Structures are given as structure tokens and as C-alpha cells.
Amino acid sequence: MFAEKFPFSPVLAGERLTLEQIGKKDAPSLLAILSDPLVMKYVTQGSFFSFARSRRVAAELLDARREDSMHYGIWLPGADGPAGVVSLQNVRQGRRDAMIGYMLDRRYWNQGLATEGLGVLLRYAFSELHLLRVEGRCHAVNTASVRVMEKNGMVLERTLSQKRLLFAAPLEMKIYSLTDQQYQSRRADAEANR
């Protein structure tokens, strides 16, 4: 399993939140987040909303058997369940790279929590797991997700246009990346400006 192949930190701390690996106990909170059509609109890349799809995504996030992924719940002080999830996915050990993903309960949108959560996860990915590159994707129209990645120093690589259903407009996806060198340079600049 992922945790056996990498140094696993059970709790990662930020200023306002902590990240803890999600488990079956978090299923009700996770399903509540994924049952929001506005959240799912961007999680499933524009697919039509259905509760069945929400349950499938929740099951994938809770599947501890996946050896290439780690999903952390975003926890706020005193909360009964996670406010969202931030993930390292498709980790390739040989290439030392991964995809990132994140989603947040709509009640917590526009508070900087996704940005902070992703920042904590990136610090772990580069400082503890020693990854060389991470990549993130989002809908071109999802300006909030674009801001989350850009605020964490991720750089736009390209925009892809994906064909969908016969009469549907193509879906544009933005692909962002961050390398270890970019991360370390940004961190050094932040330290120098303190």
C-alpha cells in the first residue's frame, strides 16, 4: 500500500487546518460533500450529476488498497468531519511524480482553505516524499481552482480541449505543474522576505 512504500505522516499541520488520511469513518462527511452537484460538477469533469457517481467517487477515495494514491481529509478545529479532501494520486515511484487533487465542501469555499490545504500537501510531497514534479488539472472555467494552484506556485503548462458528447461543446482543461526546483526556489524567496 502507499503508506508502506513512502514515509507516511498521519497528520500534517497548517496554520488553520490539519490534514489527516481519510478512512471509512469519514464516509458520511465525504458523501455529503460529493452529493453537492456544484462540487461534483468539477470533480467528474463535467459529467452529469448522479448520486450513484457520487458514491463511486467516495468509494475510490476511501479505497485503501490503491497503492498509488493518498487522500487526506481537510480538518478544521472542532469539526465533526472533514471540510474537504486533498490528494496525491497516480504516484509513480520511478519518476517521482504525482497528480494532485482537491475538493471542498461548498460551505467553506472562498476562505483560502483549499489553497492552504494544497500548500501543506505540496510541502509534504516535496520535503518528505522527495517528489520531483506534481501536476494538477482543472476545468478552464473553474477560476477558483486555477487560483488555488497559482497561489501555490504552480505554473500553467497547457490547455487541452476534450471532446464530449456528440452535441456538447468541447471541455477545456488547464494543466498546471510544479517541480521540486520551483518549489524550493519559491520557499527560499518566502524565507528571504520574512
Side-chain angles (χ1 to χ4, degrees):
M1 298 204 333
F2 186 91
E4 295 167 353
K5 295 181 181 182
F6 294 94
F8 172 64
S9 181
V11 178
L12 304 172
E15 288 183 28
R16 300 178 295 159
L17 55 78
T18 56
L19 302 182
E20 298 179 30
Q21 188 174 29
I22 59 172
K24 292 186 192 241
K25 68 180 178 11
D26 303 316
S29 297
L30 191 57
L31 195 53
I33 295 168
L34 291 166
S35 294
D36 183 333
L38 288 177
V39 172
M40 285 296 287
K41 177 180 181 180
Y42 297 117
V43 171
T44 59
Q45 298 185 4
S47 302
F48 293 110
F49 174 78
S50 75
F51 287 108
R53 183 167 284 122
S54 296
R55 286 190 296 275
R56 275 196 304 277
V57 172
E60 288 174 18
L61 291 172
L62 293 168
D63 185 0
R65 295 171 298 170
R66 285 200 57 177
E67 297 182 1
D68 67 344
S69 299
M70 179 179 281
H71 306 289
Y72 279 99
I74 299 171
W75 288 85
L76 301 175
D80 293 334
V85 175
V86 64
S87 304
L88 286 174
Q89 307 162 8
N90 304 316
V91 177
R92 296 183 294 184
Q93 295 176 22
R95 297 183 69 165
R96 292 177 42 205
D97 66 359
M99 299 276 295
I100 52 98
Y102 46 88
M103 66 177 175
L104 203 57
D105 185 315
R106 189 166 24 136
R107 295 175 295 170
Y108 300 106
W109 287 5
N110 300 312
Q111 298 177 34
L113 296 173
T115 301
E116 183 178 345
L118 179 59
V120 171
L121 187 68
L122 290 172
R123 181 179 69 219
Y124 178 61
F126 290 116
S127 300
E128 300 296 324
L129 300 180
H130 306 290
L131 296 183
L132 297 177
R133 182 180 181 278
V134 295
E135 180 179 298
R137 296 175 180 221
C138 71
H139 294 260
V141 297
N142 189 350
T143 56
S145 190
V146 166
R147 282 194 311 272
V148 167
M149 288 189 276
E150 288 177 347
K151 285 181 179 180
N152 277 291
M154 297 185 76
V155 178
L156 178 64
E157 282 189 355
R158 64 190 179 280
T159 302
L160 293 177
S161 184
Q162 298 177 337
K163 295 209 181 239
R164 297 193 296 165
L165 300 174
L166 186 60
F167 297 107
L171 177 68
E172 287 194 339
M173 298 292 290
K174 289 190 173 189
I175 300 174
Y176 281 80
S177 68
L178 183 65
T179 66
D180 176 58
Q181 287 181 335
Q182 290 167 324
Y183 176 80
Q184 298 303 341
S185 175
R186 181 177 153 89
R187 193 168 162 192
D189 289 346
E191 289 293 323
N193 290 330
R194 281 190 177 179

